[in-house]
Amino acid sequence: MSNQRELFEAAVVERLKESGFLEIEIRTECLVRCDDGYQDELINAGWHYWNAAIAAQSPAANVGPFQARVQPWMMACFGAMIAGDREERNHRFLEEALELVQSTGCTAHEAHQLVDYVYGRATGEPHQEVGGVMVTLAALCLANHLDMHEAAETELARIWTKVDAIRAKQAAKPKHSPLPGPSASEGSPDV
């Protein structure tokens, strides 16, 4: 719940700053907490609608496996061509996997060593490698006290709110490059 509250408050701050309010004003006047809601009636109503939307997307409300529920987002965000582009999906998966291990302490040097190790071996079989990814992801989450299912549901809900920004980032992406945007030396847009 606290993670959802943080996401909600960040969204409120973002929207009200667009209207010219200062963040300190928003946090001290609009986001004053009261029991399980907020003192401001409009913000409180928004919080309850937010929670209703999250409840509607809870695992009990979501029918079908997670993978099948990602597909509608992929289609809405990218369309069939990019959603089904294996090379693009490989690059985005590798990017996210590297961001995860970076966030838990893996160094660039260690990552480069592992790239050399993996590419120095015979190519694996995709079905078995997916199984290995899932088992090692679960083990990594356990070691870092993370709930992989909750994190996945939270991220899917979050990215549904970012479809336009993600489309814009995709449109600005360098053509024929594994990079998701300009390199750090070229300056990366905040999207």
Side-chain angles (χ1 to χ4, degrees):
M1 179 68 93
S2 66
N3 189 33
Q4 285 303 321
R5 189 178 281 263
E6 290 168 14
L7 289 171
F8 172 76
E9 289 181 0
V12 169
V13 167
E14 184 179 327
R15 292 290 180 228
L16 290 179
K17 281 173 76 174
E18 290 171 1
S19 298
F21 291 94
L22 298 174
E23 184 167 348
I24 189 74
E25 293 174 315
I26 299 165
R27 293 201 179 275
T28 59
E29 296 174 21
C30 301
L31 294 176
V32 177
R33 295 179 183 182
C34 178
D35 298 319
D36 66 340
Y38 295 88
Q39 287 180 357
D40 183 283
E41 290 180 19
L42 289 174
I43 300 298
N44 194 52
W47 172 239
H48 290 291
Y49 285 124
W50 177 283
N51 285 320
I54 296 299
Q57 295 179 1
S58 73
N62 290 324
V63 179
F66 184 77
Q67 181 177 342
R69 292 185 289 115
V70 169
Q71 181 70 17
W73 174 79
M74 292 289 296
M75 299 304 284
C77 200
F78 301 114
M81 188 175 203
I82 294 173
D85 183 335
R86 289 182 183 182
E87 185 175 52
E88 177 72 9
R89 301 285 56 89
N90 278 342
H91 295 158
R92 298 297 61 83
F93 174 78
L94 181 58
E95 176 190 8
E96 293 299 328
L98 289 169
E99 288 175 354
L100 172 59
V101 297
Q102 178 189 43
S103 76
T104 59
C106 184
T107 67
H109 179 71
E110 292 167 332
H112 286 290
Q113 287 180 306
L114 285 164
V115 166
D116 292 340
Y117 172 77
V118 168
Y119 280 88
R121 300 172 65 198
T123 302
E125 190 278 316
H127 188 267
Q128 186 275 323
E129 298 298 344
V130 167
V133 165
M134 294 298 289
V135 169
T136 56
L137 175 61
L140 177 68
C141 289
L142 287 167
N144 286 281
H145 309 286
L146 299 167
D147 181 332
M148 64 189 261
H149 300 289
E150 187 274 332
E153 295 294 346
T154 299
E155 182 63 4
L156 184 57
R158 186 189 75 81
I159 61 177
W160 266 112
T161 70
K162 304 281 186 190
V163 170
D164 291 337
I166 294 168
R167 282 184 189 149
K169 185 175 181 179
Q170 179 66 28
K173 182 178 148 329
K175 302 296 181 223
H176 312 296
S177 170
L179 299 177
S183 67
S185 62
E186 298 172 38
S188 182
D190 264 352
V191 179

